[in-house]
Structures are given as C-alpha cells and as structure tokens.
Amino acid sequence: NQLSANVQTSFIEYKELSYLREQLKFSFIIILTLVLLFSIFSAVWAAFYSARTLAAPIKDLAQGTRAIAKGNYNTKLPVPSNDELGFLVASFNDMTDKISQARDTAKSSQKESESQQIYLETILSRLSSGVIVFNEDGKIEKSNISAAQILQIEVAILNKKNIDDLINNFPKLKIFFECISNN
C-alpha cells in the first residue's frame, strides 16, 4: 500500500512537473522573443542615430556650399569633432574666410581703380594740351577734349579707334598719325 501511494504521489508530481515544464518553456519563449525584439529595435535605433549623427556634418557642408554658391561668403559651420569630418568642416571655414578676404580685396582694388580712373579723366579734361593714350595694339585708349579740338575730330570718334582707321577716315591727318605709328 505504501509503495502504491509512493507511485501515485510520484506520478502526480510528474504530471505537475510536466505541466509546469510546458508553461516554463512557453515563458522562456516569450521572454527570449521579447529580448530579441528589443535587441532588434535597439540595433535599428542605434543605426539610425549613428547615421544621423554622421550625416549631420555632411548635411551642414552641403548647406554651406549652397550658401557659398549664392554668394554668402560669411557662412561659418560648427566644427563637430576632431576627426576627418571636423578637419573637413574646419577647412571649409578657412576656405570661406579666404574667399571673403579675396572678395573684399577685389572690391577695394576695384574702387581704387575707379577712383584713379576718375582722377585721370578729370586731369585729362582740364589740360589745355592735347593728350592721346595708345594701347599695345595701336588703338587709342583715351584722349582729351583738347586733343579732339586740335585734331578737329569728335572725342567719340577718336577714342577706341585704330591709327590705320583714322588715317583712312581723315586723310588730312595722315602725316600726323603716320609719325605716331612709326614710333
């Protein structure tokens, strides 16, 4: 009787363990599935975060390049780090500084050239002596009103003309222009 009760108890315990084993397997499957899904979600999030973090300086460079192309040479980009992208951004900032300085230098040179041009034209217009300035090709670059009056030619006709054209159009000045063209 005792043996039969032990067998009966053992069988009941076996059935309980067998039932609990299925529940335990089911619980482990759910937990492992949740851990796997969480790991996949974390990996995808980390990939997007890393891609956004790595692409941000490149996106800034693209926007900076568009700004430079539109003529905004005061564009400064924040240097993200001391790696290769940071070096590239720092180089971009140096380049924009140099372009800005070159633009400013060109503007000041242009203003100075224009003021010198105006000064020269003012002096030429006030001289009572006739002045004719030739370029390397033999064309008249500038002349003043006195030169036009002396030669009895309009200033507009005299300027930007070649000596040969003037000789052909004004035969009375042939000797004068031939002397100039021989020198």
Side-chain angles (χ1 to χ4, degrees), residues 32-48:
L32 290 176
T33 304
L34 289 175
V35 168
L36 178 67
L37 289 176
F38 180 73
S39 298
I40 290 172
F41 175 74
S42 297
V44 169
W45 178 81
F48 278 112

Side-chain angles (χ1 to χ4, degrees), residues 131-181:
V131 177
I132 300 175
V133 179
F134 294 93
N135 65 11
E136 298 150 357
D137 299 331
K139 277 189 172 181
I140 297 175
E141 276 294 313
K142 293 207 176 293
S143 63
N144 66 354
I145 296 172
S146 299
Q149 289 173 349
I150 292 169
L151 297 175
Q152 297 176 348
I153 302 173
E154 292 180 32
V155 175
I157 295 173
L158 191 59
N159 288 337
K160 304 294 181 191
K161 294 286 184 181
N162 195 326
I163 292 177
D164 295 331
D165 294 338
L166 290 171
I167 290 172
N168 292 334
N169 292 337
F170 301 98
K172 63 182 179 180
L173 300 173
K174 181 178 181 180
I175 297 171
F176 173 73
F177 285 119
E178 283 178 350
C179 288
I180 293 173
S181 66

Side-chain angles (χ1 to χ4, degrees), residues 119-127 131 133 142-145:
Y119 177 73
L120 179 64
E121 287 176 2
T122 304
I123 289 176
L124 285 177
S125 66
R126 305 242 189 258
L127 286 176
V131 177
V133 179
K142 293 207 176 293
S143 63
N144 66 354
I145 296 172

